[in-house]
Amino acid sequence: MPRLSEFLGIAIYMYYKDHGPPHFHAIYAQYDAAIGIDPVEVLKGILPRRVQSLVFEWASMYQDELQANWELTRVGRPLRRVPPLE
């Protein structure tokens, strides 16, 4: 499970054999959520409200990069790191 980014204690992962729709996983402490790429929304799981807001802000900034990484997972290619939220 490649880690794409990490910021403010939030780790962002994308799995190679994951099902659609295109999404990534945000993990914070004991919380874990699958977040859709387009639209940016919680597909499954839960995050604290503030963490969810930060993840949504980050995902909105990097939607193109996230979609490109999703496409790389489909063909088994190495994923590219995504800058953290600053």
Side-chain angles (χ1 to χ4, degrees):
M1 69 178 154
R3 183 181 293 197
L4 299 180
S5 192
E6 186 173 346
F7 52 91
L8 304 171
I10 305 162
I12 306 295
Y13 292 92
M14 196 173 282
Y15 304 120
Y16 279 99
K17 297 190 186 251
D18 226 342
H19 56 83
H23 66 281
F24 60 90
H25 294 263
I27 299 170
Y28 177 78
Q30 73 270 23
Y31 300 97
D32 185 353
I35 310 294
I37 295 171
D38 189 16
V40 177
E41 63 183 353
V42 175
L43 300 175
K44 185 178 179 183
I46 190 167
L47 294 170
R49 188 178 336 181
R50 177 72 177 132
V51 172
Q52 179 177 310
S53 294
L54 292 168
V55 170
F56 280 19
E57 178 183 348
W58 174 83
S60 295
M61 291 171 54
Y62 294 110
Q63 269 185 312
D64 291 341
E65 291 85 346
L66 292 166
Q67 187 62 48
N69 272 325
W70 180 263
E71 298 304 324
L72 291 172
T73 67
R74 304 296 93 191
V75 295
R77 303 285 310 262
L79 304 186
R80 297 182 186 119
R81 296 276 298 171
V82 180
L85 186 65
E86 295 184 24

